[in-house]
Amino acid sequence: MSANAHTDSALTEFVAATAAEYGMPGMAVGIWVDGREIHANVGVTSTENPVPITEHTIFAIGSTSKTFTATALMQLVAAGRVDLDAPVRTYVPELKLIDEKSAATITVRQLLNHTAGLEWNIINDTGDGADGLAAFVATLAELPLIGAPGERASYSQAGFNLLGRVIEKVTGESFEKVVADTVLEPVGLAESFYFEGDVMTRRFAAGHERQQDGKLEVSRAWKGSRANNPGGGLGSTVSDLLRWGRFHLGDGRTESGAPVLPAELMHRMQQPTIELRASTLADAFGLCWMLRDVDGVRTVGHDGSGFGQFANFQLVPERDFAVVVLSNASPDGIPANQAIIRWALEHYLGVVDQDPEPAPFDAARAPELFGVYDIDAMTMTCYAAGDQLYLDCRVKPEIRAAAGAEIPQDHPPFPFGLLPGSDEYVITAGSFKGQRGYFTRDTNGDITAIDLAGRVFTRVS
């Protein structure tokens, strides 16, 4: 353990109990509170080749990577090389989308706060070569749109990958080199890497997928293709992520006082740009950051997941507090991480995060919800069994067949309930317990879509 790291028996006991309850092979937890780091590490990196987890074990952090992409982009804004309100085509003139008007008008800011109208992503592998990101962007004409630019928020991995291409075009360097040179190295993040060749020579966690018989199997994929690096390709450690958290709790300078990002831009990233409705992701999006008010306190964070690994990264700026939780098994890494985040907020700050209570099942109303809803890669079916509503979300068979890489298995159907007097809902059990969303109606009052985890599923039947 590093010289500035401490232990807390209550935290260690809770993390160990949570890992056991949810069947996590390993978990790493770090907390910054009262000017000190506290760590709790339990379990192993892999059930096949077990090595003890430490705060220096590298996990695939999924979409938490977006915070690094956004920070690198904001440095270009600070230097006057990127204008947040300029059309993306100012920097990527070759951009083509299914709708020409959208392609011509989407702005950099709209990519940062997920209001560009882009659907979640395209599942395609454009290789690990230096042209991987450029090749991905060249396929975006295949990406469905969920609305006009600026119309509403919908979380988009493709949008952040496109931001990575903006960075490449403006700098003339690879995305990964820019982030390493302008963010990772200056902030002192020596345990964070995009390329698996850098990860494999260090202690790293393998993801696991729980099979139908209850057994865990090691995931053979560690992360997505290179084109997904801007939106979700970084590997990092609890130690580095706590340093990253302290940086974003500060004024844009490193611990040695070196400037990385002007304080005004740093703080602007954490200000609301668009409010979200009934979303567990956030109450609002900043510039990349997800903002939530929990028990009267503003939290700033960004979680991530992929291939049996989960990262939760939360800051409470007004209390100079950060908490990082990393785990390595699907699907229960989601509730396991969330349980620790909630415990940490309550134990160290007295901040209580609770799920809303759903209304009783309404047999007369339920049928209008039933149907099939769709995004590019997944189909969701809403139905009832007895007096319980369910959402069954599955990766499309053709996507699995064409992926060319391991895709995480589907979750069991999610039981959910509507919140009193509204079209909003909360998932009541399973790995997504506590997730919120809502059904969208058209001007005739007919349900046309469902929002889950910040993504819009359009009704197809």
Side-chain angles (χ1 to χ4, degrees):
M1 185 171 290
S2 59
N4 65 337
H6 300 76
T7 59
D8 179 321
S9 60
L11 174 64
T12 300
E13 290 171 9
F14 186 81
V15 172
T18 301
E21 177 183 356
Y22 291 99
M24 293 298 103
M27 299 189 80
V29 179
I31 292 172
W32 172 257
V33 62
D34 298 330
R36 64 181 185 136
E37 287 186 17
I38 303 171
H39 289 270
N41 307 296
V42 300
V44 296
T45 57
S46 165
T47 55
E48 292 184 358
N49 295 285
V51 176
I53 295 284
T54 77
E55 66 266 34
H56 303 294
T57 298
I58 299 174
F59 287 73
I61 65 171
S63 287
T64 305
S65 307
K66 290 180 173 68
T67 65
F68 295 83
T69 301
T71 302
L73 191 282
M74 293 301 286
Q75 287 183 318
L76 296 176
V77 172
R81 301 177 71 183
V82 170
D83 180 348
L84 288 177
D85 294 313
V88 174
R89 272 189 176 169
T90 305
Y91 312 104
V92 188
E94 67 271 26
L95 175 65
K96 294 182 179 179
L97 299 175
I98 196 170
D99 176 68
E100 169 59 23
K101 183 177 179 181
S102 292
T105 58
I106 286 172
T107 68
V108 176
R109 186 189 303 274
Q110 289 167 342
L111 295 180
L112 277 168
N113 71 358
H114 299 285
T115 60
L118 304 179
E119 214 195 64
W120 171 62
N121 203 13
I122 299 177
I123 305 297
N124 59 6
D125 187 349
T126 54
D128 290 327
D131 63 344
L133 189 51
F136 173 84
V137 170
T139 70
L140 287 180
E142 305 169 15
L143 181 71
L145 304 179
I146 58 93
E151 186 173 84
R152 61 154 294 164
S154 183
Y155 187 82
S156 178
Q157 177 84 353
F160 259 77
N161 292 337
L162 178 52
L163 279 175
R165 185 59 178 156
V166 170
I167 290 171
E168 288 190 336
K169 295 283 282 191
V170 170
T171 63
E173 302 277 3
S174 73
F175 164 78
E176 297 86 1
K177 185 177 190 307
V178 174
V179 175
D181 289 349
T182 66
V183 177
L184 302 181
E185 184 176 345
V187 179
L189 307 181
E191 300 173 345
S192 300
F193 307 96
Y194 285 103
F195 297 114
E196 292 175 53
D198 292 317
V199 171
M200 66 182 293
T201 60
R202 297 166 170 85
R203 186 179 306 212
F204 66 93
H208 298 74
E209 297 284 343
R210 194 169 299 282
Q211 307 304 304
Q212 291 186 351
D213 61 5
K215 294 182 180 179
L216 286 174
E217 288 190 4
V218 172
S219 174
R220 300 303 164 191
W222 202 74
K223 70 181 189 71
S225 66
R226 185 169 181 177
N228 278 294
N229 278 352
L234 193 65
S236 191
T237 67
V238 159
S239 179
D240 261 14
L241 288 173
L242 276 187
R243 182 182 290 268
W244 185 235
R246 296 199 309 272
F247 171 73
H248 275 279
L249 288 169
D251 61 2
R253 292 179 292 180
T254 67
E255 292 179 349
S256 65
V260 175
L261 191 65
E264 186 274 329
L265 287 182
M266 174 88 82
H267 297 149
R268 193 193 306 178
M269 292 176 68
Q270 300 178 11
Q271 300 306 306
T273 62
I274 186 166
E275 302 295 322
L276 302 183
R277 176 186 172 193
S279 175
T280 308
L281 283 181
D283 297 323
F285 284 141
L287 296 177
C288 175
W289 290 112
M290 297 181 180
L291 315 176
R292 292 185 66 218
D293 289 326
V294 180
D295 200 14
V297 174
R298 169 59 58 88
T299 66
V300 175
H302 207 301
D303 301 334
S305 64
F307 301 108
Q309 301 198 53
F310 298 90
N312 286 62
F313 180 83
Q314 297 291 314
L315 311 176
V316 184
E318 67 187 74
R319 305 289 289 274
D320 192 34
F321 178 87
V323 54
V324 179
V325 185
L326 306 177
S327 60
N328 64 343
S330 178
D332 290 330
I334 298 170
N337 284 21
Q338 186 60 43
I340 292 171
I341 292 287
R342 288 183 165 183
W343 184 91
L345 289 173
E346 183 171 4
H347 182 78
Y348 294 105
L349 302 183
V351 171
V352 179
D353 189 5
Q354 295 179 323
D355 295 332
E357 286 293 327
F361 178 76
D362 185 341
R365 183 184 178 191
E368 71 168 338
L369 310 175
F370 300 163
V372 178
Y373 301 79
D374 185 89
I375 61 173
D376 180 68
M378 294 179 172
T379 298
M380 178 144 52
T381 304
C382 179
Y383 66 97
D387 61 356
Q388 179 61 63
L389 292 164
Y390 288 94
L391 295 173
D392 189 5
C393 189
R394 299 186 177 274
V395 175
K396 294 178 180 178
E398 62 269 27
I399 296 295
R400 285 195 181 279
E406 185 176 346
I407 292 180
Q409 66 182 21
D410 296 319
H411 296 264
F414 303 123
F416 76 97
L418 292 172
L419 297 183
S422 77
D423 289 326
E424 300 175 5
Y425 68 87
V426 61
I427 292 174
T428 54
S431 57
F432 270 29
K433 184 178 185 295
Q435 288 275 348
R436 295 180 61 188
Y438 62 94
F439 292 85
T440 297
R441 297 180 184 270
D442 62 17
T443 55
N444 295 321
D446 297 323
I447 291 175
T448 59
I450 182 173
D451 180 285
L452 175 65
R455 301 168 188 170
V456 179
F457 289 70
T458 301
R459 190 170 198 163
V460 295
S461 68

